[in-house]
């Protein structure tokens, strides 16, 4: 099992809806394996600010969101959808919330950055560029 270490420093504020929190706590709790991504997700859920499901404030990454982000290590920009594990399909750019990328993006608002270091000592840092409800949304 690999362990993910969140990069030292101030973590960005994250939001989660009541519905997503309940669903994710159930997924994490019923998970047989304790992967690094699940541990990361569990840590992030514990510090998230919970909002109601109809929250209409600033956009943030949630289950079902299309997210445009930059991998600050490689400079690559990607547009993915954060989905539940059974809906993940890399060919359709649908990334599981139980993956390291999905778990690290969940709850972030545009312009927020999140970094972690994997067990191999390799740093990862992502920056959210935009969040939309579908892949054709006007991502700011």
């Amino acid at each position: 099992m690999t362990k993910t270490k969140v990069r030292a420093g101030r973590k960005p504020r994250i939001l989660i809806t009541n519905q997503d929190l309940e669903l994710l706590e159930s997924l994490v709790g019923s998970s047989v394996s304790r992967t690094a991504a699940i541990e990361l997700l569990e840590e992030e859920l514990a510090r998230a600010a919970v909002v109601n499901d109809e929250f209409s404030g600033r956009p943030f990454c949630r289950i079902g969101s299309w997210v445009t982000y930059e991998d600050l290590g490689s400079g690559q920009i990607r547009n993915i959808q954060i989905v539940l594990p059974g809906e993940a399909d890399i060919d359709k750019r649908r990334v599981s919330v139980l993956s390291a990328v999905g778990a690290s993006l969940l709850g972030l608002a545009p312009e927020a950055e999140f970094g972690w270091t994997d067990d191999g000592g390799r740093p990862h840092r992502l920056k959210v560029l935009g969040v939309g409800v579908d892949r054709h949304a006007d991502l700011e």
Side-chain angles (χ1 to χ4, degrees), residues 55 96-97 122:
F55 179 78
S96 171
V97 70
R122 184 172 162 210

Side-chain angles (χ1 to χ4, degrees), residues 58-124:
R58 66 187 175 131
F60 64 96
C61 302
R62 54 178 90 177
I63 296 173
S65 294
W66 281 90
V67 182
T68 301
Y69 72 93
E70 180 178 0
D71 180 323
L72 296 175
S74 69
Q76 289 187 329
I77 294 176
R78 295 183 176 96
N79 184 18
I80 56 125
Q81 184 178 30
I82 300 173
V83 298
L84 295 173
E87 300 170 346
D89 182 339
I90 197 66
D91 292 333
K92 294 180 181 176
R93 299 190 328 257
R94 299 176 82 179
V95 175
S96 171
V97 70
L98 296 184
S99 69
V101 169
S104 66
L105 291 172
L106 189 72
L108 296 179
E111 299 303 314
E113 295 180 18
F114 188 83
W116 72 96
T117 302
D118 63 27
D119 269 351
R122 184 172 162 210
H124 302 271

Side-chain angles (χ1 to χ4, degrees), residues 2 5 9 12 20 24 54 71 78 90 93-94 99-100 107 110 125 131 138:
T2 59
K5 297 176 189 168
D20 283 357
L24 292 170
E54 293 79 32
D71 180 323
R78 295 183 176 96
I90 197 66
R93 299 190 328 257
R94 299 176 82 179
S99 69
R125 190 151 190 87
V131 179
D138 180 23

